[in-house]
Amino acid sequence: MIARIWQRLKGTVAVERVERVKEAPVATIIPRSEHGVSRNNISKNALKVLYRLNDAGFRACLVGGGVRDLLLSLKPKDFDIATSASPEEVRALFRNCRLIGRRFRLAHVLYGREVIEVATFRASHRDGEDGRTDAGGRIMRDNVFGDIAEDALRRDFSVNALYYDIKDYSIHDYAGGMADVSARLLRLIGDPVTRYKEDPVRMLRAVRFAAKLDFEIAPEASDPIADLASELGEIPPARLFEEVLKLFHSGHAVKSLELLHDYYLLDYLFPHAAKKLGDDDESTWDLLERGLNNTDQRIRAGKSVTPAFLYAVFLWMDVSERYELWLAKGEAPMVAMQRAGDEALAVQLTHTSLPKRFSFPMREIWMMQGRLLTYTGKRALRLLEQPRFRAGYDFLCLRAELDSSLQERSDWWTRIQELPVEQQEEMARQAPKPDQLRKRKRRRKSPKKPDSEQ
Ligand code: ATP
Ligand code: MG
């Protein structure tokens, strides 16, 4: 039917195209003896899920980053499984399983803190009961189940569409992913513009994988990005928050920042920082690169990282500009910082969300900056005891790397932390009073001009 309409509208060439698209792709099968993916490197829990699905008569494969990263001798972040079992059939097999998602229904099998994601093979679709795209081609619902070949073609990059089949440990390659892994190339499956319009987050994924894997984005996949970047404006802030964490908390934050900037994608995540970087504002480049480098190093050293600190860094330029404005209007420093923080956060939340459990400590980091520069004696000692002292202090150290006037004070906090409690008291009494504080106090004391003169 569709072929006939196309024939009337566009002639026979179009018909051939429609029919060719419908043809199921044939997999290249790479037997176990010819690839390096070993069960020793797959999590025990993922193997358990794969075997149980297989024993119950379903097709069960490891897919996505798990296969890709193992081929590259990297440690996968998580293990994703694709299966012929429906979500309900998966649930029936595992007691520790819950079904999640509406737009994309999935089964999560839980083993303590490890979550094994199990997705049913899906087909691409036109609008129907369980699949929906909007007028711009965006996928709104993606629950049309299909076979493994169809499932492969709706994945994003060829290197993410390799299936490790637990039945015989072979890899099934439907989209030329093995060759692209060897060539270290990110190639979108299908027409790049259509695939980005279906889901603009794929542009962020391209950059993320390029940074993480040190892969090239194939020219046909990289060329349309700058033009389509604005489509990210339509993505819900909560989804963008998830992507921000994946981009900046995976150990490749600096590289991700540079690529996001190059492709004009940062504008849709952190617009104020993006504008400053676009204007070649050196202090913004320095702050972000140092802050993110810090994050990368902590991750490599196995230390904890928090979105509170990440956002504190990304929004700092905006906060400090707004802070100066409030000070100029005559607000006290603490109030000025509070207002600046509120405003910057309110703008940010229209782009990417930030759950309260992170925005609260983020604002504490900002509020603490003034206290770290001015508190002495007992107040300084009390600050040391605060649960968020460390984050505020780390942030001051970062700023001090770029602003030598903060160095003396940040060194002072470094030293006092290393002392036994008795000596801390003595040192707190002798804390240097920074010039900054005296200047601000003078300004606050000057008589307020009447309204007509302002
Ligand atoms: P990593 O886990 O290292 O971040 P990944 O490739 O496994 O990388 P996931 O987000 O875990 O990424 O997704 C698993 C797989 O699901 C991907 O490899 C890809 O095949 C498919 N996928 C995920 N998101 C999309 C998307 N937006 N469009 C198409 N396919 C996707
Ligand atoms: Mg994954």
Side-chain angles (χ1 to χ4, degrees), residues 63-66 68-69 77-78 80 117 154-156 160-161 195 199 201-202 205 208-209 212 239 246:
V63 68
R68 180 197 68 216
D69 291 356
K77 184 167 69 59
D78 47 35
D80 303 300
E117 206 163 89
R154 45 157 297 285
R155 291 183 180 268
D156 48 6
N160 287 348
R195 300 305 313 279
D199 182 4
V201 168
R202 288 173 185 152
R205 291 174 59 85
R208 176 157 73 86
F209 295 131
K212 166 178 162 165
R239 190 164 175 222
K246 289 182 189 167

Side-chain angles (χ1 to χ4, degrees), residues 232 251 340 362 366 404 413:
L232 281 172
M362 172 188 72
W366 295 332
S404 56
W413 284 109

